[in-house]
Amino acid sequence: MGQTPPRPESEIRLDKLGQLKKLGINPYPSATPEHITIEEARSKKEGAKIAVVGRLTSIRKHGKIAFLDLTHEDRKIQLFSSIDNKEVFELIDLLDTGDYIWVSGELFTTKAGELTIKVKTLTLLSKSLLPIPEGWNGLENVEARYRQRALDFKINPEARQIIRTRAKIISTLRDFLERHGFIEITTPVLQPIPGGATAKPFVTKYNVLGADFYLRVSDELYLKRLVVGGFERVFEIGPDFRNEGISHMHNPEFTMCEFYWAYQTYDGLMKVTQQLVQELVKTACGSLKISYQDQPLDFSGDFTVVKFVDLLKQDIGIDIEQADTFVKLKKAIEEKGIKFEGQKITVWSELVDELFKKVTRPKIVQPTFIIDYPLETKPLAKIHHDNPKLVENFYLVAAGGFELVNAYSELNDPIDQEARFKEQAKMKAAGWDEAQVMDENYIEALKYGMPPTAGWGMGIDRLTMIVTDQHSIKEVIPFPTLRPIGKPRKS
Protein backbone atom coordinates (compact mmCIF):
# COMPACT_ATOMS: atom_id res chain seq x y z
CA MET A 1 0.00 0.00 0.00
CA GLY A 2 1.14 3.51 -0.74
CA GLN A 3 1.72 6.13 1.90
CA THR A 4 -1.26 8.15 3.08
CA PRO A 5 -0.98 11.66 1.67
CA PRO A 6 -0.51 14.41 4.25
CA ARG A 7 -3.63 16.24 5.35
CA PRO A 8 -4.13 19.69 3.84
CA GLU A 9 -2.93 22.47 6.10
CA SER A 10 -6.36 24.09 5.97
CA GLU A 11 -7.97 20.96 7.47
CA ILE A 12 -5.42 20.88 10.29
CA ARG A 13 -6.15 24.51 11.08
CA LEU A 14 -9.90 23.86 11.15
CA ASP A 15 -9.29 21.02 13.61
CA LYS A 16 -7.31 23.40 15.82
CA LEU A 17 -10.17 25.88 15.60
CA GLY A 18 -12.55 23.19 16.88
CA GLN A 19 -10.21 22.28 19.75
CA LEU A 20 -9.94 25.91 20.79
CA LYS A 21 -13.71 26.22 20.93
CA LYS A 22 -13.96 23.00 23.01
CA LEU A 23 -11.52 24.61 25.48
CA GLY A 24 -13.83 27.59 25.76
CA ILE A 25 -11.43 29.87 23.92
CA ASN A 26 -13.06 32.40 21.60
CA PRO A 27 -10.87 32.43 18.45
CA TYR A 28 -12.28 35.80 17.35
CA PRO A 29 -12.84 37.98 20.44
CA SER A 30 -13.98 41.60 20.07
CA ALA A 31 -11.82 43.29 22.68
CA THR A 32 -8.04 43.62 22.62
CA PRO A 33 -6.31 44.12 25.99
CA GLU A 34 -4.14 47.18 26.54
CA HIS A 35 -0.74 47.03 24.84
CA ILE A 36 2.13 49.00 23.32
CA THR A 37 3.65 48.66 19.86
CA ILE A 38 6.57 46.38 19.16
CA GLU A 39 8.54 49.48 18.20
CA GLU A 40 7.95 50.86 21.71
CA ALA A 41 8.67 47.48 23.28
CA ARG A 42 12.07 47.30 21.60
CA SER A 43 13.02 50.63 23.19
CA LYS A 44 12.42 49.29 26.71
CA LYS A 45 15.13 47.93 29.03
CA GLU A 46 15.57 44.33 30.10
CA GLY A 47 13.22 43.40 32.91
CA ALA A 48 10.44 45.68 31.68
CA LYS A 49 6.98 44.15 31.92
CA ILE A 50 5.09 44.81 28.70
CA ALA A 51 2.19 43.68 26.52
CA VAL A 52 2.18 43.69 22.71
CA VAL A 53 0.03 42.49 19.81
CA GLY A 54 0.85 41.21 16.36
CA ARG A 55 0.82 38.42 13.79
CA LEU A 56 2.77 35.22 14.29
CA THR A 57 5.30 34.75 11.53
CA SER A 58 7.30 31.86 12.96
CA ILE A 59 6.76 29.08 15.56
CA ARG A 60 9.73 26.94 16.63
CA LYS A 61 9.06 24.39 19.38
CA HIS A 62 12.01 22.40 20.75
CA GLY A 63 11.05 19.91 23.43
CA LYS A 64 10.20 21.88 26.54
CA ILE A 65 10.79 25.36 25.09
CA ALA A 66 9.35 27.38 22.22
CA PHE A 67 10.38 30.49 20.30
CA LEU A 68 7.91 32.51 18.26
CA ASP A 69 8.28 35.59 16.08
CA LEU A 70 5.64 38.30 16.40
CA THR A 71 5.30 41.05 13.78
CA HIS A 72 3.39 44.34 13.96
CA GLU A 73 3.71 47.45 11.77
CA ASP A 74 6.79 46.01 10.04
CA ARG A 75 8.60 45.47 13.34
CA LYS A 76 9.39 42.05 14.82
CA ILE A 77 10.10 40.74 18.30
CA GLN A 78 10.87 37.23 19.54
CA LEU A 79 8.70 35.46 22.12
CA PHE A 80 9.82 32.71 24.50
CA SER A 81 7.77 30.12 26.38
CA SER A 82 8.60 26.94 28.28
CA ILE A 83 6.87 24.00 29.95
CA ASP A 84 7.12 25.97 33.22
CA ASN A 85 4.12 27.98 31.99
CA LYS A 86 2.04 24.96 31.02
CA GLU A 87 -1.12 26.86 30.02
CA VAL A 88 0.67 29.04 27.46
CA PHE A 89 3.02 26.29 26.30
CA GLU A 90 0.15 23.91 25.49
CA LEU A 91 -1.85 26.67 23.81
CA ILE A 92 1.05 27.20 21.38
CA ASP A 93 0.26 23.74 19.92
CA LEU A 94 -3.04 25.16 18.71
CA LEU A 95 -1.49 28.26 17.11
CA ASP A 96 -0.28 28.72 13.53
CA THR A 97 1.66 31.30 11.59
CA GLY A 98 -0.74 34.03 10.57
CA ASP A 99 -2.61 34.01 13.89
CA TYR A 100 -3.01 37.34 15.66
CA ILE A 101 -2.25 37.26 19.38
CA TRP A 102 -1.80 39.45 22.46
CA VAL A 103 0.99 38.57 24.88
CA SER A 104 2.26 40.00 28.13
CA GLY A 105 5.56 39.22 29.74
CA GLU A 106 9.04 40.37 30.68
CA LEU A 107 11.83 41.51 28.38
CA PHE A 108 15.18 39.71 28.41
CA THR A 109 18.07 39.14 26.02
CA THR A 110 18.98 35.63 24.87
CA LYS A 111 22.52 34.27 24.74
CA ALA A 112 22.41 35.00 21.00
CA GLY A 113 21.77 38.66 21.79
CA GLU A 114 18.10 38.66 20.68
CA LEU A 115 15.68 40.90 22.60
CA THR A 116 12.86 38.58 23.63
CA ILE A 117 9.65 38.57 25.65
CA LYS A 118 9.27 35.77 28.19
CA VAL A 119 5.55 35.18 27.81
CA LYS A 120 3.41 35.18 30.93
CA THR A 121 -0.03 35.44 29.31
CA LEU A 122 -1.19 34.78 25.76
CA THR A 123 -4.59 35.60 24.22
CA LEU A 124 -5.65 34.57 20.74
CA LEU A 125 -7.16 37.53 18.88
CA SER A 126 -7.84 35.99 15.46
CA LYS A 127 -7.30 32.47 14.13
CA SER A 128 -5.82 32.13 10.63
CA LEU A 129 -7.41 29.29 8.65
CA LEU A 130 -5.22 29.44 5.54
CA PRO A 131 -1.42 29.32 5.36
CA ILE A 132 0.61 31.46 2.99
CA PRO A 133 0.52 29.44 -0.28
CA GLU A 134 3.63 27.33 -0.72
CA GLY A 135 6.13 28.88 -3.12
CA TRP A 136 4.18 32.15 -3.18
CA ASN A 137 6.73 34.66 -4.38
CA GLY A 138 5.52 38.21 -4.94
CA LEU A 139 8.24 39.10 -7.40
CA GLU A 140 7.63 36.08 -9.62
CA ASN A 141 3.86 35.89 -9.22
CA VAL A 142 2.79 39.39 -10.19
CA GLU A 143 -0.71 38.45 -11.37
CA ALA A 144 -1.38 36.53 -8.15
CA ARG A 145 -0.25 39.51 -6.12
CA TYR A 146 -2.81 41.79 -7.78
CA ARG A 147 -5.62 39.23 -7.49
CA GLN A 148 -4.83 38.43 -3.85
CA ARG A 149 -4.01 41.94 -2.76
CA ALA A 150 -4.82 41.38 0.92
CA LEU A 151 -2.27 38.56 1.01
CA ASP A 152 0.21 40.69 -0.93
CA PHE A 153 -0.02 43.52 1.59
CA LYS A 154 0.15 41.09 4.49
CA ILE A 155 3.52 39.63 3.53
CA ASN A 156 5.06 42.31 1.29
CA PRO A 157 6.37 45.35 3.22
CA GLU A 158 7.33 47.13 -0.02
CA ALA A 159 3.75 46.93 -1.30
CA ARG A 160 2.47 48.40 1.97
CA GLN A 161 5.03 51.18 1.85
CA ILE A 162 3.95 52.20 -1.67
CA ILE A 163 0.37 52.67 -0.47
CA ARG A 164 1.57 54.59 2.58
CA THR A 165 3.54 56.90 0.28
CA ARG A 166 0.42 57.36 -1.84
CA ALA A 167 -1.53 58.31 1.27
CA LYS A 168 1.20 60.79 2.24
CA ILE A 169 1.00 62.42 -1.21
CA ILE A 170 -2.76 62.86 -0.85
CA SER A 171 -2.52 64.30 2.67
CA THR A 172 0.29 66.68 1.62
CA LEU A 173 -1.71 67.78 -1.42
CA ARG A 174 -4.79 68.41 0.70
CA ASP A 175 -2.75 70.33 3.28
CA PHE A 176 -1.14 72.52 0.59
CA LEU A 177 -4.49 73.46 -0.92
CA GLU A 178 -6.09 74.19 2.44
CA ARG A 179 -3.12 76.40 3.34
CA HIS A 180 -3.89 78.34 0.15
CA GLY A 181 -7.49 78.92 1.13
CA PHE A 182 -9.21 76.10 -0.77
CA ILE A 183 -12.14 74.06 0.48
CA GLU A 184 -12.84 70.45 -0.50
CA ILE A 185 -16.29 69.67 -1.92
CA THR A 186 -17.55 66.33 -3.23
CA THR A 187 -19.25 66.35 -6.63
CA PRO A 188 -21.31 63.60 -8.34
CA VAL A 189 -19.58 60.44 -9.50
CA LEU A 190 -22.74 59.30 -11.30
CA GLN A 191 -23.59 61.92 -13.93
CA PRO A 192 -26.30 62.36 -16.58
CA ILE A 193 -23.74 63.84 -19.00
CA PRO A 194 -20.05 62.78 -19.02
CA GLY A 195 -18.14 66.03 -19.36
CA GLY A 196 -14.92 67.78 -18.46
CA ALA A 197 -12.46 65.61 -20.37
CA THR A 198 -11.81 64.10 -23.78
CA ALA A 199 -12.47 60.47 -22.89
CA LYS A 200 -14.83 57.52 -23.40
CA PRO A 201 -17.13 57.01 -20.38
CA PHE A 202 -18.61 53.98 -18.66
CA VAL A 203 -22.39 53.94 -19.08
CA THR A 204 -25.00 52.44 -16.77
CA LYS A 205 -28.78 52.40 -16.57
CA TYR A 206 -30.59 54.27 -13.81
CA ASN A 207 -33.64 52.01 -13.60
CA VAL A 208 -35.95 54.28 -11.59
CA LEU A 209 -35.36 57.22 -13.93
CA GLY A 210 -35.29 55.08 -17.05
CA ALA A 211 -32.17 56.91 -18.22
CA ASP A 212 -28.53 56.30 -19.02
CA PHE A 213 -26.05 57.67 -16.49
CA TYR A 214 -22.27 57.76 -16.65
CA LEU A 215 -19.35 57.31 -14.30
CA ARG A 216 -17.59 60.63 -14.37
CA VAL A 217 -14.54 61.10 -16.56
CA SER A 218 -13.66 64.34 -14.74
CA ASP A 219 -14.79 66.53 -11.84
CA GLU A 220 -14.36 69.69 -13.88
CA LEU A 221 -17.81 70.92 -14.91
CA TYR A 222 -19.34 70.44 -11.47
CA LEU A 223 -16.43 72.13 -9.71
CA LYS A 224 -16.75 75.09 -12.10
CA ARG A 225 -20.46 75.25 -11.32
CA LEU A 226 -19.34 75.71 -7.71
CA VAL A 227 -17.11 78.62 -8.79
CA VAL A 228 -20.17 80.16 -10.47
CA GLY A 229 -21.99 79.66 -7.18
CA GLY A 230 -19.41 81.63 -5.20
CA PHE A 231 -16.91 78.97 -4.07
CA GLU A 232 -13.86 80.73 -5.48
CA ARG A 233 -11.18 78.26 -4.36
CA VAL A 234 -12.48 74.72 -4.50
CA PHE A 235 -10.94 71.27 -4.93
CA GLU A 236 -11.80 67.58 -4.94
CA ILE A 237 -9.71 64.44 -4.60
CA GLY A 238 -11.45 61.31 -5.78
CA PRO A 239 -11.97 58.62 -8.42
CA ASP A 240 -12.57 59.20 -12.12
CA PHE A 241 -13.37 56.53 -14.71
CA ARG A 242 -12.48 56.16 -18.38
CA ASN A 243 -13.62 53.25 -20.51
CA GLU A 244 -10.33 52.84 -22.29
CA GLY A 245 -7.37 50.45 -22.44
CA ILE A 246 -5.49 48.94 -19.51
CA SER A 247 -1.71 49.25 -19.60
CA HIS A 248 1.21 49.85 -17.29
CA MET A 249 0.27 53.56 -17.45
CA HIS A 250 -3.54 53.30 -17.50
CA ASN A 251 -6.20 51.96 -15.14
CA PRO A 252 -9.89 52.52 -15.94
CA GLU A 253 -10.48 53.78 -12.40
CA PHE A 254 -7.92 56.28 -11.16
CA THR A 255 -7.57 59.05 -8.58
CA MET A 256 -7.50 62.71 -9.56
CA CYS A 257 -7.10 65.98 -7.72
CA GLU A 258 -8.73 68.93 -9.42
CA PHE A 259 -8.89 72.50 -8.16
CA TYR A 260 -10.35 75.74 -9.51
CA TRP A 261 -9.11 79.17 -8.49
CA ALA A 262 -11.03 82.33 -9.29
CA TYR A 263 -9.06 85.41 -10.42
CA GLN A 264 -6.06 83.23 -11.28
CA THR A 265 -4.42 82.50 -14.67
CA TYR A 266 -2.51 79.59 -16.12
CA ASP A 267 0.71 81.61 -15.77
CA GLY A 268 0.08 81.92 -12.04
CA LEU A 269 -0.75 78.23 -11.79
CA MET A 270 2.62 77.27 -13.27
CA LYS A 271 4.34 78.94 -10.33
CA VAL A 272 1.97 77.27 -7.85
CA THR A 273 2.39 73.90 -9.59
CA GLN A 274 6.16 74.04 -9.30
CA GLN A 275 5.93 74.81 -5.59
CA LEU A 276 3.36 72.08 -5.00
CA VAL A 277 5.11 69.35 -6.99
CA GLN A 278 8.41 70.14 -5.29
CA GLU A 279 6.73 69.87 -1.88
CA LEU A 280 5.13 66.55 -2.83
CA VAL A 281 8.37 65.05 -4.16
CA LYS A 282 10.40 66.29 -1.18
CA THR A 283 7.84 64.91 1.29
CA ALA A 284 7.68 61.51 -0.42
CA CYS A 285 11.38 61.07 -1.22
CA GLY A 286 13.28 63.39 1.10
CA SER A 287 15.02 64.96 -1.91
CA LEU A 288 14.17 66.77 -5.13
CA LYS A 289 16.78 64.74 -7.03
CA ILE A 290 15.45 61.22 -7.53
CA SER A 291 15.51 58.49 -10.17
CA TYR A 292 12.74 56.73 -12.03
CA GLN A 293 13.48 53.43 -13.78
CA ASP A 294 17.20 54.32 -13.77
CA GLN A 295 16.54 57.81 -15.20
CA PRO A 296 17.79 60.66 -12.99
CA LEU A 297 15.09 63.28 -12.37
CA ASP A 298 15.75 66.75 -10.97
CA PHE A 299 12.73 68.57 -9.55
CA SER A 300 14.82 71.37 -8.04
CA GLY A 301 15.02 74.86 -9.54
CA ASP A 302 12.71 76.20 -12.24
CA PHE A 303 11.07 73.72 -14.58
CA THR A 304 11.64 74.08 -18.34
CA VAL A 305 8.88 75.86 -20.29
CA VAL A 306 8.32 75.14 -24.00
CA LYS A 307 5.46 75.90 -26.40
CA PHE A 308 3.58 72.92 -27.83
CA VAL A 309 3.92 74.10 -31.43
CA ASP A 310 7.66 74.74 -31.05
CA LEU A 311 8.22 71.37 -29.40
CA LEU A 312 6.67 69.42 -32.27
CA LYS A 313 8.61 71.52 -34.77
CA GLN A 314 11.91 70.90 -32.96
CA ASP A 315 11.35 67.21 -32.30
CA ILE A 316 9.60 65.98 -35.46
CA GLY A 317 10.06 68.80 -37.94
CA ILE A 318 6.32 69.28 -38.46
CA ASP A 319 4.83 72.76 -38.22
CA ILE A 320 1.21 72.19 -37.19
CA GLU A 321 0.41 75.85 -37.81
CA GLN A 322 1.12 75.17 -41.48
CA ALA A 323 -0.31 71.64 -41.47
CA ASP A 324 -3.58 73.02 -40.11
CA THR A 325 -6.03 70.56 -41.68
CA PHE A 326 -6.44 66.82 -41.27
CA VAL A 327 -5.31 66.15 -44.85
CA LYS A 328 -2.21 68.36 -44.57
CA LEU A 329 -1.17 66.95 -41.20
CA LYS A 330 -1.77 63.35 -42.27
CA LYS A 331 0.44 63.92 -45.33
CA ALA A 332 3.21 65.56 -43.24
CA ILE A 333 3.15 62.65 -40.80
CA GLU A 334 3.31 60.08 -43.60
CA GLU A 335 6.26 61.91 -45.14
CA LYS A 336 8.09 61.50 -41.84
CA GLY A 337 7.39 57.75 -41.88
CA ILE A 338 5.29 57.91 -38.72
CA LYS A 339 2.45 55.39 -38.42
CA PHE A 340 -0.34 54.87 -35.89
CA GLU A 341 -1.09 51.17 -36.18
CA GLY A 342 -4.65 50.01 -35.63
CA GLN A 343 -6.05 53.48 -34.95
CA LYS A 344 -8.92 55.05 -36.87
CA ILE A 345 -8.13 58.75 -36.59
CA THR A 346 -10.49 60.99 -38.52
CA VAL A 347 -10.10 64.54 -37.13
CA TRP A 348 -7.16 66.97 -36.97
CA SER A 349 -7.25 67.53 -33.21
CA GLU A 350 -7.10 63.80 -32.47
CA LEU A 351 -4.27 63.36 -34.98
CA VAL A 352 -2.13 66.12 -33.50
CA ASP A 353 -2.81 64.80 -29.99
CA GLU A 354 -1.73 61.28 -30.96
CA LEU A 355 1.34 62.64 -32.73
CA PHE A 356 2.48 64.32 -29.54
CA LYS A 357 1.61 61.40 -27.25
CA LYS A 358 3.21 58.68 -29.35
CA VAL A 359 6.29 60.44 -30.73
CA THR A 360 7.35 63.46 -28.70
CA ARG A 361 6.03 63.05 -25.17
CA PRO A 362 7.98 59.84 -24.34
CA LYS A 363 11.25 61.72 -24.90
CA ILE A 364 10.58 64.25 -22.12
CA VAL A 365 12.42 63.19 -18.97
CA GLN A 366 13.05 66.27 -16.83
CA PRO A 367 9.98 68.15 -15.51
CA THR A 368 8.77 70.37 -18.34
CA PHE A 369 5.82 72.72 -18.76
CA ILE A 370 4.40 72.36 -22.29
CA ILE A 371 2.20 75.38 -22.95
CA ASP A 372 -0.24 76.92 -25.43
CA TYR A 373 -1.94 74.03 -27.24
CA PRO A 374 -4.04 74.39 -30.41
CA LEU A 375 -7.56 75.67 -29.80
CA GLU A 376 -9.22 72.56 -31.26
CA THR A 377 -7.61 70.27 -28.69
CA LYS A 378 -8.89 72.07 -25.57
CA PRO A 379 -12.62 72.83 -25.76
CA LEU A 380 -12.83 74.08 -22.15
CA ALA A 381 -9.79 76.40 -22.15
CA LYS A 382 -9.72 80.13 -22.76
CA ILE A 383 -8.37 81.45 -26.09
CA HIS A 384 -4.79 82.68 -25.81
CA HIS A 385 -4.51 86.43 -25.22
CA ASP A 386 -1.89 86.77 -28.01
CA ASN A 387 -2.94 84.11 -30.54
CA PRO A 388 -6.59 83.15 -31.23
CA LYS A 389 -5.51 79.79 -32.68
CA LEU A 390 -4.12 78.68 -29.31
CA VAL A 391 -5.40 78.34 -25.74
CA GLU A 392 -3.89 79.33 -22.39
CA ASN A 393 -2.94 75.94 -20.98
CA PHE A 394 -0.06 73.79 -19.85
CA TYR A 395 0.84 70.20 -19.12
CA LEU A 396 3.59 69.23 -16.70
CA VAL A 397 5.40 66.23 -18.24
CA ALA A 398 8.31 64.26 -16.79
CA ALA A 399 9.96 60.83 -16.47
CA GLY A 400 9.69 59.77 -20.10
CA GLY A 401 6.22 60.97 -20.93
CA PHE A 402 4.22 61.08 -17.70
CA GLU A 403 1.53 63.77 -17.87
CA LEU A 404 1.48 64.82 -14.23
CA VAL A 405 -0.60 68.00 -14.41
CA ASN A 406 -3.10 69.46 -16.86
CA ALA A 407 -4.14 73.08 -16.29
CA TYR A 408 -5.55 76.08 -18.10
CA SER A 409 -7.27 79.41 -17.88
CA GLU A 410 -10.91 78.38 -17.91
CA LEU A 411 -13.26 79.41 -20.67
CA ASN A 412 -15.95 81.54 -19.01
CA ASP A 413 -17.57 82.96 -22.16
CA PRO A 414 -20.84 80.97 -22.45
CA ILE A 415 -21.34 81.80 -26.13
CA ASP A 416 -17.83 80.63 -27.04
CA GLN A 417 -18.24 77.54 -24.85
CA GLU A 418 -21.49 76.59 -26.55
CA ALA A 419 -19.84 76.96 -29.97
CA ARG A 420 -16.92 74.77 -28.85
CA PHE A 421 -19.29 72.06 -27.66
CA LYS A 422 -21.00 72.13 -31.06
CA GLU A 423 -17.62 71.69 -32.77
CA GLN A 424 -16.94 68.72 -30.48
CA ALA A 425 -20.29 67.24 -31.53
CA LYS A 426 -19.19 67.46 -35.15
CA MET A 427 -15.95 65.65 -34.27
CA LYS A 428 -17.89 62.91 -32.51
CA ALA A 429 -20.14 62.58 -35.57
CA ALA A 430 -17.00 62.29 -37.71
CA GLY A 431 -15.87 59.28 -35.69
CA TRP A 432 -13.95 60.61 -32.66
CA ASP A 433 -15.55 58.67 -29.79
CA GLU A 434 -13.75 60.66 -27.11
CA ALA A 435 -15.00 64.09 -28.22
CA GLN A 436 -16.97 65.97 -25.58
CA VAL A 437 -20.74 66.38 -25.59
CA MET A 438 -23.03 69.38 -25.18
CA ASP A 439 -23.94 70.21 -21.58
CA GLU A 440 -26.72 72.79 -21.72
CA ASN A 441 -27.06 72.97 -17.94
CA TYR A 442 -23.40 73.94 -17.66
CA ILE A 443 -23.81 76.56 -20.40
CA GLU A 444 -26.75 78.01 -18.47
CA ALA A 445 -24.61 78.19 -15.32
CA LEU A 446 -21.90 80.08 -17.23
CA LYS A 447 -24.48 82.57 -18.44
CA TYR A 448 -25.04 83.70 -14.85
CA GLY A 449 -21.37 84.67 -14.81
CA MET A 450 -18.14 82.95 -13.76
CA PRO A 451 -15.17 85.09 -12.72
CA PRO A 452 -11.83 84.64 -14.52
CA THR A 453 -10.68 81.25 -13.25
CA ALA A 454 -7.80 78.84 -13.70
CA GLY A 455 -8.24 75.09 -13.27
CA TRP A 456 -5.81 72.32 -12.52
CA GLY A 457 -5.77 68.50 -12.46
CA MET A 458 -3.20 65.96 -11.26
CA GLY A 459 -3.24 62.16 -11.47
CA ILE A 460 -2.31 60.85 -8.03
CA ASP A 461 -1.44 57.39 -9.34
CA ARG A 462 1.17 58.55 -11.85
CA LEU A 463 2.94 60.83 -9.40
CA THR A 464 3.03 57.92 -6.95
CA MET A 465 4.55 55.72 -9.66
CA ILE A 466 7.39 58.21 -10.10
CA VAL A 467 8.22 58.83 -6.45
CA THR A 468 8.08 55.10 -5.61
CA ASP A 469 9.91 54.10 -8.82
CA GLN A 470 7.21 51.70 -10.05
CA HIS A 471 6.89 50.73 -13.71
CA SER A 472 3.26 49.62 -13.44
CA ILE A 473 0.33 51.73 -12.27
CA LYS A 474 -1.13 48.57 -10.71
CA GLU A 475 1.56 48.71 -8.02
CA VAL A 476 0.35 52.08 -6.72
CA ILE A 477 -3.40 51.36 -6.74
CA PRO A 478 -4.57 49.30 -3.76
CA PHE A 479 -6.96 47.22 -5.89
CA PRO A 480 -6.23 47.67 -9.62
CA THR A 481 -8.65 46.63 -12.35
CA LEU A 482 -8.00 43.10 -13.65
CA ARG A 483 -9.55 40.98 -16.36
CA PRO A 484 -12.06 38.55 -14.78
CA ILE A 485 -10.65 35.03 -14.45
CA GLY A 486 -11.61 32.92 -17.45
CA LYS A 487 -12.59 35.92 -19.55
CA PRO A 488 -10.80 35.78 -22.92
CA ARG A 489 -8.88 38.77 -24.19
CA LYS A 490 -10.92 40.79 -26.70
CA SER A 491 -9.39 40.64 -30.17
Side-chain angles (χ1 to χ4, degrees):
M1 294 179 62
Q3 290 184 336
T4 303
R7 292 178 67 201
E9 177 72 18
S10 57
E11 285 187 14
I12 296 171
R13 292 188 180 218
L14 281 172
D15 281 351
K16 290 181 180 180
L17 181 70
Q19 293 178 57
L20 288 165
K21 290 179 177 179
K22 286 180 181 178
L23 293 172
I25 296 173
N26 181 357
Y28 305 104
S30 298
T32 300
E34 189 174 337
H35 59 276
I36 62 175
T37 66
I38 290 177
E39 177 78 29
E40 292 171 315
R42 297 192 68 87
S43 69
K44 303 287 185 181
K45 294 181 180 179
E46 284 192 73
K49 293 179 172 57
I50 60 168
V52 295
V53 295
R55 180 172 65 93
L56 284 172
T57 53
S58 175
I59 301 173
R60 308 175 300 282
K61 212 165 185 184
H62 309 286
K64 297 181 179 181
I65 62 171
F67 291 95
L68 305 88
D69 290 337
L70 191 68
T71 302
H72 180 234
E73 294 182 344
D74 298 332
R75 295 289 283 163
K76 184 175 74 173
I77 196 164
Q78 183 170 261
L79 311 179
F80 170 80
S81 181
S82 71
I83 194 66
D84 295 338
N85 187 339
K86 187 176 180 182
E87 182 179 352
V88 170
F89 194 72
E90 291 181 349
L91 180 57
I92 290 173
D93 288 331
L94 300 179
L95 299 181
D96 294 288
T97 57
D99 290 352
Y100 288 86
I101 63 172
W102 172 92
V103 295
S104 67
E106 184 176 319
L107 281 175
F108 75 100
T109 302
T110 65
K111 291 180 181 178
E114 180 76 20
L115 186 66
T116 304
I117 300 173
K118 184 178 182 182
V119 178
K120 179 182 178 183
T121 310
L122 187 154
T123 298
L124 178 63
L125 300 177
S126 181
K127 182 66 185 165
S128 168
L129 300 181
L130 284 176
I132 303 300
E134 188 174 343
W136 205 88
N137 186 312
L139 293 178
E140 297 176 2
N141 219 332
V142 175
E143 182 75 9
R145 286 182 48 233
Y146 298 146
R147 292 195 181 277
Q148 302 181 56
R149 203 61 156 142
L151 180 59
D152 182 30
F153 289 139
K154 183 181 282 288
I155 68 173
N156 187 346
E158 181 184 348
R160 291 197 299 272
Q161 184 55 45
I162 290 169
I163 302 306
R164 289 193 177 107
T165 299
R166 174 194 175 95
K168 186 65 176 175
I169 287 170
I170 292 173
S171 64
T172 302
L173 183 54
R174 181 174 281 117
D175 177 67
F176 182 96
L177 292 173
E178 289 177 345
R179 292 199 319 263
H180 284 74
F182 286 81
I183 62 170
E184 185 172 9
I185 301 180
T186 301
T187 63
V189 173
L190 199 60
Q191 302 179 349
I193 296 174
T198 303
K200 187 183 295 185
F202 287 93
V203 61
T204 186
K205 178 70 72 175
Y206 200 139
N207 293 335
V208 173
L209 298 180
D212 286 342
F213 270 65
Y214 305 85
L215 293 178
R216 70 181 179 197
V217 295
S218 170
D219 316 0
E220 178 167 342
L221 299 189
Y222 282 92
L223 288 173
K224 288 197 287 193
R225 285 176 172 95
L226 290 170
V227 177
V228 171
F231 297 94
E232 295 182 347
R233 298 188 189 191
V234 62
F235 77 97
E236 182 171 10
I237 300 173
D240 287 339
F241 306 84
R242 297 183 184 175
N243 197 355
E244 299 165 359
I246 298 175
S247 73
H248 79 99
M249 289 277 284
H250 298 89
N251 196 69
E253 178 181 356
F254 55 98
T255 303
M256 285 288 293
C257 173
E258 292 193 33
F259 71 72
Y260 293 84
W261 191 341
Y263 310 107
Q264 183 61 277
T265 67
Y266 83 123
D267 285 317
L269 283 196
M270 275 193 277
K271 298 181 180 69
V272 173
T273 298
Q274 182 171 299
Q275 295 169 6
L276 173 53
V277 169
Q278 288 174 338
E279 184 170 326
L280 292 171
V281 172
K282 186 69 178 289
T283 299
C285 303
S287 172
L288 293 176
K289 295 182 178 181
I290 64 175
S291 66
Y292 176 72
Q293 302 295 289
D294 297 323
Q295 298 178 110
L297 301 179
D298 187 354
F299 285 90
S300 65
D302 291 333
F303 299 166
T304 299
V305 180
V306 59
K307 292 182 178 180
F308 182 83
V309 174
D310 294 342
L311 185 59
L312 288 182
K313 199 182 301 182
Q314 294 164 11
D315 181 52
I316 309 174
I318 293 178
D319 184 348
I320 61 171
E321 291 182 310
Q322 296 296 320
D324 57 358
T325 68
F326 179 78
V327 172
K328 289 180 182 178
L329 183 56
K330 186 172 182 289
K331 181 181 178 183
I333 290 172
E334 290 172 349
E335 288 174 350
K336 295 291 182 181
I338 299 169
K339 296 180 180 179
F340 301 120
E341 299 292 343
Q343 291 180 267
K344 297 179 180 179
I345 300 174
T346 57
V347 296
W348 183 88
S349 54
E350 183 183 12
L351 187 57
V352 74
D353 186 54
E354 286 299 314
L355 179 64
F356 171 68
K357 287 179 179 178
K358 297 293 173 64
V359 181
T360 299
R361 191 177 68 183
K363 301 172 187 175
I364 302 170
V365 175
Q366 299 308 320
T368 302
F369 287 122
I370 304 169
I371 67 171
D372 302 346
Y373 278 51
L375 174 66
E376 294 87 345
T377 66
K378 300 294 170 187
L380 298 167
K382 183 167 285 191
I383 292 175
H384 198 281
H385 56 280
D386 285 334
N387 187 337
K389 293 183 178 181
L390 305 176
V391 293
E392 296 183 351
N393 82 303
F394 69 82
Y395 277 95
L396 176 61
V397 179
F402 280 73
E403 286 183 353
L404 294 179
V405 174
N406 176 22
Y408 39 83
S409 300
E410 299 294 337
L411 179 58
N412 60 343
D413 177 345
I415 296 174
D416 188 4
Q417 184 64 83
E418 186 171 19
R420 302 258 203 111
F421 278 150
K422 289 178 179 177
E423 284 300 314
Q424 289 283 303
K426 292 178 184 177
M427 294 178 191
K428 185 175 283 288
W432 190 16
D433 290 340
E434 297 181 358
Q436 298 194 35
V437 297
M438 175 68 72
D439 188 334
E440 293 179 355
N441 179 270
Y442 174 67
I443 296 296
E444 182 180 357
L446 283 186
K447 287 179 179 178
Y448 289 110
M450 185 174 81
T453 299
W456 184 97
M458 169 184 278
I460 302 299
D461 312 298
R462 289 181 180 173
L463 179 63
T464 306
M465 287 175 67
I466 290 176
V467 299
T468 60
D469 195 17
Q470 298 301 314
H471 174 71
S472 173
I473 196 170
K474 290 183 173 67
E475 294 288 357
V476 304
I477 297 175
F479 299 96
T481 303
L482 299 170
R483 180 178 292 103
I485 294 175
K487 185 76 172 178
R489 185 184 296 271
K490 186 176 180 180
S491 60

